[in-house]
Amino acid sequence: MGIDEISPDSSLLGIYNLALLKEIMECCAHFWRYPILFLTFYLVLKPSELHALISYKPNIVILLADDLGIGDLGCYGNTTIRTPNIDRLAKEGIKLTQHIAAAPVCTPSRTAFLTGRYPVRSGMVQTIGYRVLQSLAGSGGLPPNETTFAKILKKQGYSTGLIGKWHQGMNCEYRNDYCHHPLNHGFDYFYGMPFTLMNDCQISHSSELDLPLQKKLWLYTQMVTLALLTCIAAKLTHLLPLSQKAIFFLALSDFFFFISWYSRFGFARYWECIMMRNYDIIEQPMKVERAAPLMLREAISFIERNKQGPFLLLVSFLHVHTPLVTTENFIGKSNHGLYGDNVEEMDWMVGKILDTLDKENLKNSTLTYFTSDHGGHLESWEGNIQRGGWNGIYKGGKAMGGWEGGIRVPGLFRWTGMLPEGKVIAVPTSLMDIFSTLAHLAGGTVPQDRVIDGQNLMPLLQGLVQYSGHEFMFHYCGTYLHAVRWYEKESGNVWKAHYMTPVFQPEGSGACYTIKYCPCSGEGVIHHDPPLLFHLSGDPSEAMPLSSDSEPQFYIILERINKAVEEHRKTLTPVPQQLSFYNTIWKPWLQPCCGSFPFCYCDKEKDNI
Ligand SMILES: *[C@@H]1O[C@H](CO)[C@@H](O)[C@H](O)[C@H]1NC(C)=O
Ligand SMILES: *[C@@H]1O[C@H](CO)[C@@H](O)[C@H](O)[C@H]1NC(C)=O
Ligand SMILES: *[C@@H]1O[C@H](CO)[C@@H](O)[C@H](O)[C@H]1NC(C)=O
């Protein structure tokens, strides 16, 4: 009997018994495992079924949205946007309502997601200004000695594929060393964007790439040009006795500033917006309009190729990041402008992937998980049109440190036959938990030589326990600890203390509209002493800060949280900083290039669509 035929909802045992059985197997010491099992279950299960049960490994499909707010989905209470396919996952599975990203921006959040560790542990956090990787030709990225869940699953015999966005770096020392590439991090197959979608990728949009540096370089160029022209005029009119040398020097600097501005930012679409299949660049620059259909084709074909299982497929959508590239079929169809159209297109893509699982009869043998890397970007407006997501009742959004809107995201788990259907779980869980959960399901182990912050969620999802294992969660903004969440197991209360919060601009607006992204430190944040404390389970919108008058336990709660911070800090060790200035700047010699640098261009998908 093949693994295909024994579905986890084997008629001999109910699903909870099966789950329990699995737990018992894991509790028993290795030596005792088999004798105990055979003694206990020999009469219940045929040996072939028993064997299949022991080695049963579900397929894993992870659907990861980019910048999607928790309030953007029907199953999380949105009544005007249509997301029937994502809602179907909630109906057929479990909806987590306190599912927390480890960071409010994508590079660090995705690092934590892939490694099950706070990104500060791998150095994938802001140190000097950059919150995320700035360029495909930077040297920073997910360190090769980090272990992703893909690496663990691959070792356990899984076929592992990543379709879509990566944004975890590319090369370290020379072009094509691929030290940070997905194929160096446990994926057998990669198709998609090694960087991230951004306005620069679409010709009709203005640039958003590193605007401060762009402006600075441009300003210098203009200043030097002005000085040069003045000097030339002065010399020509004999007003000033200027040396040839000075003019030559100015001309050289002018040329230098212009070239560094233009080569870096004038060609951003060629440098950053590329599509790869494995190590091969297939589009440079990419044709953004056809990325979605191509990705969908690849996701479906990956499932079909690997249906014998077990496989891991991570679909990392370019949706719903700006510039909201949407195919014609969806433009103008939603009630919420281009943003809503883009969400609805993503939902349609999710539907096509779920249909493929159904068609291949893989639904019951596949754990499907949907989430978003962090909350919606409140400051994303073009004129008076909203271009960013909606975080529902939660305060704040993308790029803010601890406010709930930036980190509380959708979390849906479906595994029909194995997990309850239509259940809602409200205790705190983390996106980092997928790491430990998958390691457990694949029969692997999490690395023992480092701190792992994720928890195996299976017992919670199966209803065997009521607690995820997260008593405290630490909400970082770059390297700065902004807030801490405490789940008080005994009472079920969730408390949250903010040590720092961003200064909203304009004041009281609830976001940083004037500067587009709230900063993590310096003038842009307020330090709170005593910390701002909220009773999150009673006040999820973080509207009513507690005081020692309104909450008799005020100081006791803060003391407990402070102690947890102290203990957490002891587990941190210094590591190389992947987002340092040196690691994030554009280095021409690291630039992925189809052709011979700097003449990078290709379109290998032309004939394939
Ligand atoms: C639904 O989502 C849209 C798009 O983000 C948002 O503008 C709207 O306010 C949301 N509606 C509800 C009821 O949450
Ligand atoms: C999948 O699981 C559901 C729920 O346990 C069950 O009703 C259905 O028959 C199963 N389908 C297959 C193809 O095994
Ligand atoms: C990875 O290597 C760096 C040094 O290059 C080290 O500081 C770090 O602790 C290592 N990480 C792990 C998980 O071993």
Side-chain angles (χ1 to χ4, degrees), residues 117 145-146 450 574-576:
R117 288 149 54 79
N145 63 356
E146 288 294 328
R450 62 197 72 182
V575 287

Side-chain angles (χ1 to χ4, degrees), residues 15-36:
I15 56 166
Y16 293 103
N17 287 343
L18 260 178
L20 206 57
L21 183 59
K22 226 163 162 264
E23 292 307 315
I24 293 169
M25 287 189 322
E26 265 152 43
C27 291
C28 300
H30 215 77
F31 180 74
W32 294 105
R33 189 189 269 183
Y34 297 105
I36 287 177

Side-chain angles (χ1 to χ4, degrees), residues 71-72 77-81 336 339 386 389-390:
D72 285 329
N78 199 313
T79 47
T80 48
I81 213 157
H336 296 288
Y339 182 80
Q386 182 201 356
W390 174 250

